[in-house]
Amino acid sequence: MVVILNIFLDALGIFTHGTNHPMKPFRVRMTHNLVMNYGLCKKMEIFRPKPSTIDELTQFHTDDYINFLGKVTPSNMETCIKDCTRFNVGDDCPAFDGLLEYCRRATGGSLEGAARLNHGLCDIAVNWAGGLHHAKKQEASGFCYVNDIVVAILELLRYHKRVLYIDIDIHHGDGVEEAFYTTDRVMTLSFHNFGEYFPGTGDIHDIGIGKGKYYSVNFPLREGVDDKTYKSVFEPVVSHVVEWYNPSVIVLQCGADSLSGDRLGCFNLSSKGHADCVRFVKKFNIPMLVLGGGGYTIRNVSRAWAYETGIIIGQEIGPGLPSNNSDNGYFGPEYTLDVHPSNMENKNTREYLEKIMITIFENLDRSRHAPSVQIQGSVHSLIIIT
Ligand SMILES: *[C@@H]1O[C@H](CO)[C@@H](O)[C@H](O)[C@H]1NC(C)=O
Ligand SMILES: *[C@@H]1O[C@H](CO)[C@@H](O)[C@H](O)[C@H]1NC(C)=O
Ligand SMILES: *[C@@H]1O[C@H](CO)[C@@H](O)[C@H](O)[C@H]1NC(C)=O
Ligand SMILES: [Zn+2]
């Protein structure tokens, strides 16, 4: 059974980071409309989760920071410049009306998905509004304020010994990596563009520390990755990691800024290539929490996530759009579901990719096979944030 969590049904036009800001929560609504109008809802349970409570958010974030997110507004920013600077609320991560409510709803979906997986109520839970991987313990970053992924993984750790996190956003999953850098109970695996690119972290040599050594895995890529190249590294690396780490649950962040033609991205993936990652991870038949993330050419984002929703429930959709979908006007000039690759030079040589893969496999060999731990009452103690 699959549960789809979607949270912005009531929020059309309510939450906006600003007209010129690339992050558009509206893309989740567009995705949802496609999913509904393709008739996919018949094969899944659609669920409207409760917004997270402040207590849930402060399982990871500091009280100070969450308190601040609840108070800051576009009109009072000038009176709290010091805190805005301290918590990095401003340019990339502007204050907007309903900011904390937005964070609570986005996190509520991921958390509810985690809880449902924990209780065996579904095999796959999806929250396209989640996946906000850059947020730090007490700092907003890269359009992310609250890290719904970390909060959801903490929930999963109450029932699961080992959680595997896989991130296919074009940006490094730095907030999640940092939160679990010192533990072997979460393995983080991020594929991302690297080299003078936000957020700047995610080097091949960043592998975790202490007990977490070898449990952070980074695949730094160069610009222009195409479907074939991505597949040639994603599949062997994920297979090895799953086999070796043996997770009982997987969290897959599906940031769609790795698609060709993204407003901020620089990869050359088609929606088929992106979705093949979802298809591949699903084949392991391990319970899975699927999340959104980046994605800034919103008509392409919603196409890709709707298509991936189809894959998750085992129904291929497209290439035609649903005739009864009132958003179809956004999908011109092609008016189809697919996102095609474009002309972009692939800067990843075979030699480079193989070198990275060998390093990753060598590190994996040095880690313990399926480390086993006692599950104790509190999981917060294993989070150390710098
Ligand atoms: C469009 O068609 C699908 C499939 O028949 C249906 O499930 C959905 O409710 C329809 N949407 C609208 C807006 O009528
Ligand atoms: C994705 O969006 C970009 C920008 O509009 C566009 O150039 C590209 O062709 C799109 N991909 C499609 C529709 O396949
Ligand atoms: C982008 O990818 C497609 C196939 O996936 C390929 O045909 C095209 O040549 C790529 N663009 C460049 C310039 O490499
Ligand atoms: Zn991103």
Side-chain angles (χ1 to χ4, degrees):
M1 191 195 0
V2 174
V3 173
I4 299 282
L5 305 153
N6 233 308
I7 61 164
F8 286 109
L9 303 185
D10 295 326
L12 177 59
I14 297 179
F15 300 118
T16 163
H17 298 57
T19 25
N20 295 322
H21 196 284
M23 177 59 107
K24 308 283 184 206
F26 180 57
R27 65 207 176 122
V28 178
R29 173 81 181 207
M30 282 170 74
T31 304
H32 187 79
N33 289 347
L34 281 173
V35 166
M36 298 302 275
N37 293 328
Y38 274 115
L40 297 182
C41 47
K42 292 172 196 128
K43 289 204 186 159
M44 60 203 188
E45 207 178 314
I46 308 240
F47 184 75
R48 192 176 304 188
K50 287 198 284 295
S52 293
T53 64
I54 301 300
D55 277 354
E56 287 164 345
L57 302 186
T58 55
Q59 299 286 310
F60 173 56
H61 296 282
T62 63
D63 295 355
D64 264 20
Y65 174 55
I66 296 299
N67 195 13
F68 171 78
L69 292 182
K71 285 194 184 138
V72 68
T73 65
S75 47
N76 72 11
M77 277 183 76
E78 269 142 48
T79 62
C80 53
I81 287 177
K82 239 178 108 185
D83 279 343
C84 282
T85 308
R86 177 156 73 108
F87 297 127
N88 194 32
V89 169
D91 310 326
D92 268 4
C93 303
F96 58 86
D97 290 325
L99 172 56
L100 185 61
E101 179 66 18
Y102 162 81
C103 296
R104 290 178 59 213
R105 290 198 199 187
T107 308
S110 304
L111 196 51
E112 190 75 41
R116 292 195 155 231
L117 289 164
N118 277 348
H119 295 112
L121 297 173
C122 62
D123 306 320
I124 304 180
V126 183
N127 177 27
W128 293 124
L132 304 169
H133 59 174
H134 297 305
K136 307 287 160 50
K137 184 178 172 124
Q138 47 185 339
E139 202 180 297
S141 174
F143 319 152
C144 305
Y145 305 81
V146 165
N147 201 314
D148 62 291
I149 310 171
V150 173
V151 174
I153 291 177
L154 288 174
E155 177 65 25
L156 292 170
L157 286 173
R158 297 173 59 203
Y159 288 77
H160 293 270
K161 285 185 175 158
R162 288 178 302 277
V163 179
L164 172 61
Y165 171 71
I166 304 173
D167 187 318
I168 61 168
D169 193 282
I170 196 170
H171 301 100
H172 177 227
D174 58 342
V176 184
E177 177 184 280
E178 184 177 300
F180 300 110
Y181 209 55
T182 61
T183 180
D184 56 8
R185 292 206 43 209
V186 180
M187 185 146 193
T188 60
L189 169 58
S190 178
F191 296 82
H192 46 266
N193 189 51
F194 184 76
E196 293 184 29
Y197 196 72
F198 184 86
T201 48
D203 192 273
I204 176 78
H205 302 297
D206 295 337
I207 55 171
I209 51 173
K211 276 194 102 173
K213 191 169 178 187
Y214 304 122
Y215 296 95
S216 292
V217 181
N218 286 299
F219 204 119
L221 290 157
R222 309 282 184 234
E223 287 174 23
V225 181
D226 57 22
D227 291 355
K228 219 173 116 215
T229 304
Y230 208 90
K231 190 182 172 83
S232 75
V233 297
F234 184 82
E235 297 193 352
V237 169
V238 170
S239 292
H240 266 70
V241 165
V242 169
E243 198 178 304
W244 190 252
Y245 187 63
N246 192 22
S248 51
V249 64
I250 297 178
V251 178
L252 178 59
Q253 196 267 18
C254 297
D257 43 11
S258 42
L259 289 173
S260 181
D262 186 80
R263 180 168 164 193
L264 302 182
C266 56
F267 281 178
N268 184 23
L269 291 186
S270 73
S271 51
K272 286 245 164 29
H274 195 267
D276 274 346
C277 299
V278 178
R279 209 190 296 271
F280 187 75
V281 176
K282 187 191 170 213
K283 277 208 193 114
F284 291 100
N285 268 323
I286 296 171
M288 175 158 79
L289 177 62
V290 179
L291 305 172
Y296 308 102
T297 298
I298 66 171
R299 59 183 177 285
N300 292 357
V301 176
S302 51
R303 284 165 153 142
W305 287 348
Y307 182 64
E308 287 167 7
T309 307
I311 287 174
I312 288 164
I313 63 168
Q315 185 175 326
E316 284 281 327
I317 53 170
L321 295 171
S323 55
N324 65 357
N325 184 41
S326 60
D327 291 337
N328 282 357
Y330 287 103
F331 299 106
E334 319 86 343
Y335 301 103
T336 60
L337 189 69
D338 350 4
V339 180
H340 300 289
S342 54
N343 279 337
M344 187 170 249
E345 194 194 337
N346 189 348
K347 301 228 170 107
N348 298 273
T349 60
R350 236 330 84 203
E351 199 185 9
Y352 168 75
L353 296 166
E354 257 150 36
K355 220 175 88 198
I356 298 284
M357 269 207 284
I358 288 167
T359 307
I360 286 177
F361 293 155
E362 283 171 355
N363 285 337
L364 213 51
D365 282 344
R366 294 192 186 108
S367 71
R368 274 190 309 145
H369 178 249
S372 143
V373 281
Q374 217 82 47
I375 298 190
Q376 285 153 355
S378 163
V379 289
H380 323 156
S381 56
L382 55 81
I383 300 202
I384 299 177
I385 310 298
T386 48

